[in-house]
């Protein structure tokens, strides 16, 4: 006889249940009527996935014990922090994996001597912001979607408006507590298990379950200039000149690092966002305002929490915490790979001339580089230090995603790639299950090293999703 929400006894379920030892909300199985809605909770409804079980550990020891259950039963494992993977990789990405949901790892402390913060592996970015603010008005660099979890964000890259000034989110991580494939709870840093630390900073999902992060922090910026320029157009061809000006601006190798910006195309035109960490006088002194297309400009000088809230609102325009069916494609650009006038023209013509299948689509270009590029390529697994721009295309299905929309979005990246000599790569935070050679695209020059580290720390590929680093993998 099985209790509701508890599968008929199997060696795996017996093991997981023994770890939970009667605790509520500790483990669930596919026969639980709320399994998909409350436990699995897919971010992208386009990709169905049914884990063999979802666990919610309370401690690193629980994580260790759950991992040992998986090893004993030959089941793959993936940790889930915020669960924002575009292909549901935090749920395994394929059926039958064990999910370790870190939602209970909400611990936070601040060392006011070093201003190093210790942050639980399940903390959402909105809570990271508020807890840093409440404990000394500190800040780190991270993305704008409030529902993203630090677990994936700080182990893939973690890009946001302050990244050009402060580096990516993972560049703030100085130490972690991690549970590895043999169930050992250990620390990793540049001086302890440094090879594992290298891998966790850019390819974390394939190497362990991080229960806590120790991060260096910055004082919150005082004044911040927020700029938003919205342009409504009859056709996207009218954006050719506007985009070229924006791309020229962000291609300047001496572009002020206090400046972050996005160029967001949508059905009705474009929104250009800009954030400058400084005063209005400093903003004007950079010369950037003279180089950005002008129109309906709104400049808000605000406190830090207000700035973060505004950025979250902007992010919600294109991909919120709502669960939906969507398709996403992305590309990364070095300075010698930016779009030529011919490519920009072809891209805008393609958008105008193609059936889009949805009104909810976005093509987002964002500036990167700056402080991110100061760190050597071989210092961490993150391999996009030589990039100055990313683009991401999204098509959202209301209520369902059509092939027409998928084709439209993939055609955007194809149009750009077909007019670029070099093979363009992809940031693994914008995961794309349709990529050819995804590991090469995500981790390129660091892949051989990652394959060796994987063979040492996880030779049986316990920590697995369809595009994670595999043992011994080479380019």
């Amino acid at each position: 006889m099985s209790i509701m929400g508890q599968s008929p006894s199997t060696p795996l379920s017996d093991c997981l249940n023994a770890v939970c030892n009667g605790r509520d909300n500790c483990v669930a199985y596919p026969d639980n009527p709320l399994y998909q809605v409350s436990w699995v909770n897919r971010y992208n409804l386009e990709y169905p996935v049914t884990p063999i079980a979802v666990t919610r550990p309370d401690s690193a020891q629980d994580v260790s014990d759950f991992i040992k259950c998986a090893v004993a039963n030959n089941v793959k494992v993936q940790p889930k922090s915020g669960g924002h993977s575009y292909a549901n990789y935090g749920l395994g990405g394929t059926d039958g994996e064990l999910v370790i949901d870190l939602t209970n790892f909400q611990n936070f402390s601040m060392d006011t001597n070093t201003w190093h913060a210790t942050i639980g592996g399940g903390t959402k970015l909105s809570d990271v912001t508020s807890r840093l603010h409440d404990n000394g008005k500190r800040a780190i660099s991270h993305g704008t979607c409030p529902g993203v979890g630090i677990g994936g964000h700080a182990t893939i890259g973690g890009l946001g408006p302050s990244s050009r000034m402060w580096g990516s989110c993972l560049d703030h991580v100085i130490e972690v507590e991690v549970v590895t494939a043999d169930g050992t709870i250990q620390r990793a840093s540049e001086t302890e298990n440094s090879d594992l630390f290298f891998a966790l900073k850019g390819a974390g999902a394939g190497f362990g379950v991080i229960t806590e992060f120790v991060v260096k922090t910055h004082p919150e910026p005082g004044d911040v200039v927020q700029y938003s320029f919205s342009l409504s157009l009859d056709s996207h061809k009218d954006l050719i000149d506007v985009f070229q000006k924006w791309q020229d601006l962000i291609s300047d190798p001496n572009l002020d690092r206090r400046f972050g910006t996005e160029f967001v195309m949508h059905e009705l035109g474009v929104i250009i966002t800009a954030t400058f960490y400084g005063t209005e006088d400093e903003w004007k002194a950079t010369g950037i305002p003279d180089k950005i297309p002008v129109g309906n400009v709104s400049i808000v000088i605000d406190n830090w929490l207000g700035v973060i809230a505004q950025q979250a609102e902007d992010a919600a325009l294109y991909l919120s915490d709502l669960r939906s069916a969507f398709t996403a494609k992305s590309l990364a650009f070095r300075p010698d790979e930016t779009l030529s006038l011919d490519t920009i023209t072809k891209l805008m013509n393609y958008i105008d001339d193609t059936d889009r299948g949805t009104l909810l689509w976005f093509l987002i270009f964002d500036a990167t580089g700056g402080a991110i590029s100061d760190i050597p390529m071989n210092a961490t697994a993150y391999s996009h230090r030589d990039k100055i721009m990313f683009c991401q295309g999204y098509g959202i299905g209301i209520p369902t995603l059509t092939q027409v929309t998928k084709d439209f979005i993939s055609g955007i990246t194809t149009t750009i790639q077909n007019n670029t000599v070099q093979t363009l790569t992809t940031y693994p935070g914008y995961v794309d299950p349709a990529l050819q050679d995804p590991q090469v695209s995500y981790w390129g020059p660091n892949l051989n090293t990652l394959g060796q580290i994987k063979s040492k720390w996880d030779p049986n590929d316990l920590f697995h999703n369809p595009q994670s680093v595999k043992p011994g993998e080479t380019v």
Side-chain angles (χ1 to χ4, degrees), residues 275-323:
T275 306
F276 179 78
Y277 299 95
T279 65
E280 191 163 3
D281 286 344
E282 288 172 320
W283 165 237
K284 287 175 180 165
T286 65
I288 296 169
D290 304 327
K291 298 175 185 169
I292 287 193
V294 290
N296 317 321
V297 176
S298 61
I299 290 190
V300 183
I301 299 178
D302 214 335
N303 65 53
W304 181 242
L305 292 187
V307 167
I308 295 285
Q310 177 61 47
Q311 288 167 350
E313 204 173 293
D314 291 344
L317 288 174
Y318 26 91
L319 209 57
S320 71
D321 233 9
L322 292 172
R323 276 31 186 169

Side-chain angles (χ1 to χ4, degrees), residues 183-264:
T184 306
I185 303 167
Q186 43 206 344
R187 309 294 289 192
S189 66
E190 287 186 0
T191 55
E192 186 178 1
N193 297 318
S194 58
D195 57 343
L196 178 61
F197 191 58
F198 167 93
L200 292 169
K201 290 180 75 165
F207 291 88
V209 179
I210 295 179
T211 48
E212 74 176 27
F213 294 86
V214 181
V215 299
K216 62 183 182 183
T217 66
H218 310 270
E220 288 177 355
D223 293 314
V224 181
V225 178
Q226 284 277 101
Y227 166 108
S228 178
F229 161 58
S230 182
L231 186 63
S232 298
L233 299 165
D234 292 331
S235 82
H236 293 84
K237 295 181 187 69
D238 299 338
L239 286 177
I240 293 169
D241 183 51
V242 181
F243 179 81
Q244 189 170 30
K245 279 184 181 157
W246 180 87
Q247 184 180 251
D248 287 347
L249 169 67
I250 66 113
S251 300
D252 178 355
N254 299 313
L255 182 65
D256 195 302
R257 292 184 170 193
R258 294 170 294 177
F259 174 64
T261 179
E262 288 190 330
F263 189 98
V264 183

Side-chain angles (χ1 to χ4, degrees), residues 103-421:
T103 186
N104 296 328
F105 287 76
Q106 298 294 327
N107 54 305
F108 182 94
S109 62
M110 178 71 78
D111 181 333
T112 52
N113 293 316
T114 60
W115 293 110
H116 291 168
T118 299
I119 303 174
T123 311
K124 292 195 162 53
L125 297 186
S126 55
D127 294 321
V128 170
T129 301
S130 58
R131 288 167 195 172
L132 288 171
H133 175 78
D134 293 344
N135 287 271
K137 295 196 171 179
R138 307 296 291 183
I140 63 171
S141 160
H142 59 67
T144 56
C145 289
V148 167
I150 194 169
H153 201 60
T155 58
I156 287 174
L159 308 172
S162 57
S163 296
R164 298 190 65 260
M165 177 171 68
W166 285 342
S168 68
C169 187
L170 67 76
D171 293 327
H172 292 71
V173 177
I174 54 175
E175 186 182 351
V176 297
E177 179 182 77
V178 59
V179 187
T180 48
D182 61 358
T184 306
I185 303 167
Q186 43 206 344
R187 309 294 289 192
S189 66
E190 287 186 0
T191 55
E192 186 178 1
N193 297 318
S194 58
D195 57 343
L196 178 61
F197 191 58
F198 167 93
L200 292 169
K201 290 180 75 165
F207 291 88
V209 179
I210 295 179
T211 48
E212 74 176 27
F213 294 86
V214 181
V215 299
K216 62 183 182 183
T217 66
H218 310 270
E220 288 177 355
D223 293 314
V224 181
V225 178
Q226 284 277 101
Y227 166 108
S228 178
F229 161 58
S230 182
L231 186 63
S232 298
L233 299 165
D234 292 331
S235 82
H236 293 84
K237 295 181 187 69
D238 299 338
L239 286 177
I240 293 169
D241 183 51
V242 181
F243 179 81
Q244 189 170 30
K245 279 184 181 157
W246 180 87
Q247 184 180 251
D248 287 347
L249 169 67
I250 66 113
S251 300
D252 178 355
N254 299 313
L255 182 65
D256 195 302
R257 292 184 170 193
R258 294 170 294 177
F259 174 64
T261 179
E262 288 190 330
F263 189 98
V264 183
M265 292 167 52
H266 55 92
E267 181 70 17
L268 301 175
V270 67
I271 301 165
I272 300 172
T273 68
T275 306
F276 179 78
Y277 299 95
T279 65
E280 191 163 3
D281 286 344
E282 288 172 320
W283 165 237
K284 287 175 180 165
T286 65
I288 296 169
D290 304 327
K291 298 175 185 169
I292 287 193
V294 290
N296 317 321
V297 176
S298 61
I299 290 190
V300 183
I301 299 178
D302 214 335
N303 65 53
W304 181 242
L305 292 187
V307 167
I308 295 285
Q310 177 61 47
Q311 288 167 350
E313 204 173 293
D314 291 344
L317 288 174
Y318 26 91
L319 209 57
S320 71
D321 233 9
L322 292 172
R323 276 31 186 169
S324 59
F326 65 92
T327 183
K329 292 275 178 188
S330 76
L331 295 169
F333 304 87
R334 294 195 309 252
D336 62 333
E337 295 169 340
T338 54
L339 278 61
S340 67
L341 177 58
D342 181 55
T343 304
I344 298 167
T345 305
K346 284 177 177 165
L347 173 64
M348 299 305 178
N349 284 331
Y350 169 81
I351 290 171
D352 279 339
D353 297 344
T354 306
D355 185 353
R356 304 189 269 280
T358 179
L359 296 177
L360 272 180
W361 63 271
F362 303 93
L363 180 58
I364 305 165
F365 290 86
D366 52 305
T368 186
I372 296 175
S373 304
D374 290 345
I375 294 172
M377 182 76 81
N378 62 359
T380 69
Y382 178 77
S383 70
H384 294 286
R385 304 214 176 261
D386 54 351
K387 307 303 188 298
I388 61 164
M389 182 174 78
F390 291 106
C391 85
Q392 315 161 56
Y394 299 103
I396 301 167
I398 305 290
T400 54
L401 184 63
T402 63
Q403 190 61 44
V404 170
T405 299
K406 291 184 205 174
D407 292 345
F408 166 60
I409 297 298
S410 63
I412 288 173
T413 49
T414 304
T415 300
I416 296 171
Q417 178 62 79
N418 286 350
N419 289 279
T420 306
V421 175

Side-chain angles (χ1 to χ4, degrees), residues 38-96:
S38 297
W39 288 81
V40 176
N41 193 17
R42 290 176 296 141
Y43 183 57
N44 190 344
L45 302 182
E46 177 64 11
Y47 297 106
V49 60
T50 304
I52 197 165
V54 178
T55 61
R56 288 182 180 157
D58 287 327
S59 65
Q61 188 58 53
D62 282 349
V63 174
S64 170
D65 292 341
F66 287 142
I67 285 173
K68 289 172 182 172
C69 291
V71 171
N73 291 279
N74 198 26
V75 170
K76 303 292 187 190
V77 172
Q78 278 291 268
K80 173 186 176 185
S81 180
H84 268 237
S85 165
Y86 293 175
N88 303 327
Y89 283 175
L91 302 166
T94 52
D95 289 349

Side-chain angles (χ1 to χ4, degrees), residues 437-449:
D437 296 325
Q439 290 88 350
V440 174
S441 193
Y442 296 151
W443 298 293
N446 292 325
L447 187 58
N448 291 355
T449 305

